[in-house]
Amino acid sequence: MLGLAMLSVDRVSYAINGQALLREISFDLTPGEVLAVVGPNGAGKSTLLNTIVGDLSPSSGHIMLDELPLRAWTPLDLAKRRALLPQTSTLSFPFTVYEVALMGRNPHDTSNARNAQISQDALARNGMLHFAHREYPSLSGGERQRVQLARVLSQVWELPETGSRYLFLDEPTNNLDLAHQHHSLQVAKQFAAEGTGVLAVLHDLNLAAQYADRVLILCAGRVVALGTANEVMTTEILCPAFDLPVMVMKHPCLNCPLIVSAFGEAAQVDAGIAEMRQPQAEVAT
């Protein structure tokens, strides 16, 4: 019987060709929460995600899934309890939308009828069921993104008999208009409420502030801050991390901060930017 259900990242570093891309990253992801990972380009967000899902092996540190080392799980068992939505998904064969969503059920040995129902439910949740018989290559970029989200939802639709399930989203709002950006993150929030640990890499700070239970801010491969949006989305943290003057105010409608760029104003970002971004001599081993 597995113990505590949690994904635990403990002092994980990753280096390639002598360059450290991740440095001593530590955090936990628990079922029921949405954790947003934000940071400037090159901060290490996608590298962190690829390490967590097992596509990259840490240079040092440990990743535990439900109190077992990540490498102790078979690929099939991992596929049954965690799914990854990449930034881009290339698929040029004329599969239908329904067939793409059904691909998420490949790791499971449930009945054809059950797999079909789950795939349809996942499409419906993303507002794409009425496209079920359309050929996937004929869709717009945003429609394809919504179908791919349905595919990964169908992969982890059901809670495993033991342990927990996780959904990893790398820029899930790519190619989506404003309404569908919010809808997709509402879907992720609902999925978390149903017992899933959700980690989403996001560029839009306001979307992260609105939908995430906690926010992890990366810069130069390091954790700058980790906490609720109200705790970590401050001018003192965001300005040097993103090399940009911003104003942080209370959202007029929601209990979260609202971040507005102050670029173009006379205000200058603190000298801490240079120190935060300066390459370090040590390399993770």
Side-chain angles (χ1 to χ4, degrees):
M1 182 72 175
L2 292 174
L4 186 64
M6 180 186 298
L7 176 75
S8 180
V9 179
D10 181 26
R11 295 171 294 174
V12 164
S13 298
Y14 178 76
I16 184 171
N17 296 330
Q19 181 180 3
L21 303 183
L22 299 176
R23 304 170 187 270
E24 298 283 320
I25 305 293
S26 295
F27 65 90
D28 295 327
L29 175 65
T30 58
E33 78 164 330
V34 177
L35 174 65
V37 178
V38 303
N41 292 339
K45 301 184 296 296
S46 292
T47 301
L48 175 61
L49 191 55
N50 289 328
T51 304
I52 293 172
V53 300
D55 290 342
L56 297 175
S57 297
S59 303
S60 62
H62 305 281
I63 301 174
M64 307 289 286
L65 178 63
D66 294 343
E67 296 193 317
L68 289 177
L70 190 64
R71 293 300 177 185
W73 295 90
T74 68
L76 180 60
D77 283 337
L78 282 176
K80 289 179 179 179
R81 64 183 61 244
R82 63 107 175 95
L84 168 66
L85 177 69
Q87 287 188 28
T88 57
S89 302
T90 302
L91 182 61
S92 56
F93 293 102
F95 292 108
T96 65
V97 164
Y98 165 73
E99 289 170 333
V100 173
L102 188 62
M103 290 177 186
R105 300 302 301 166
N106 286 341
H108 301 276
D109 55 6
T110 43
S111 68
N112 291 339
R114 180 61 179 153
N115 291 338
Q117 185 61 58
I118 289 173
S119 300
Q120 292 170 23
D121 290 346
L123 286 170
R125 187 171 290 196
N126 286 279
M128 293 300 293
L129 184 58
H130 61 293
F131 285 94
H133 298 295
R134 280 273 300 273
E135 290 188 353
Y136 178 83
S138 71
L139 302 178
S140 69
E143 290 166 343
R144 294 184 188 188
Q145 185 76 347
R146 291 157 64 194
V147 173
Q148 291 294 339
L149 180 55
R151 175 184 61 79
V152 296
L153 289 182
S154 69
Q155 183 177 336
V156 289
W157 190 264
E158 298 173 308
L159 288 169
E161 293 183 2
T162 59
S164 49
R165 63 178 174 176
Y166 301 90
L167 185 64
F168 301 107
L169 309 173
D170 196 357
E171 293 297 337
T173 57
N174 274 355
N175 298 313
L176 298 182
D177 60 35
L178 185 61
H180 286 111
Q181 288 178 16
H182 284 273
H183 181 263
S184 292
L185 291 175
Q186 288 168 357
V187 167
K189 190 79 171 176
Q190 179 183 356
F191 216 61
E194 295 170 1
T196 308
V198 178
L199 187 151
V201 172
L202 296 171
H203 273 304
D204 191 313
L205 297 181
N206 286 307
L207 289 177
Q210 183 171 341
Y211 289 100
D213 298 297
R214 292 188 299 151
V215 179
L216 185 152
I217 302 176
L218 280 183
C219 186
R222 287 189 171 88
V223 175
V224 174
L226 173 60
T228 67
N230 285 317
E231 291 171 340
V232 304
M233 289 188 161
T234 65
T235 55
E236 293 79 8
I237 293 174
L238 295 178
C239 289
F242 287 88
D243 195 0
L244 183 73
V246 298
M247 296 172 56
V248 179
M249 58 193 74
K250 180 176 175 55
H251 196 290
C253 303
L254 305 171
N255 183 28
C256 68
L258 179 66
I259 298 96
V260 179
S261 168
F263 188 75
E265 297 293 328
Q268 297 295 316
V269 182
D270 210 354
I273 299 169
E275 181 179 350
M276 182 177 294
R277 291 180 174 273
Q278 186 171 353
Q280 303 295 311
E282 76 274 10
V283 173
T285 58

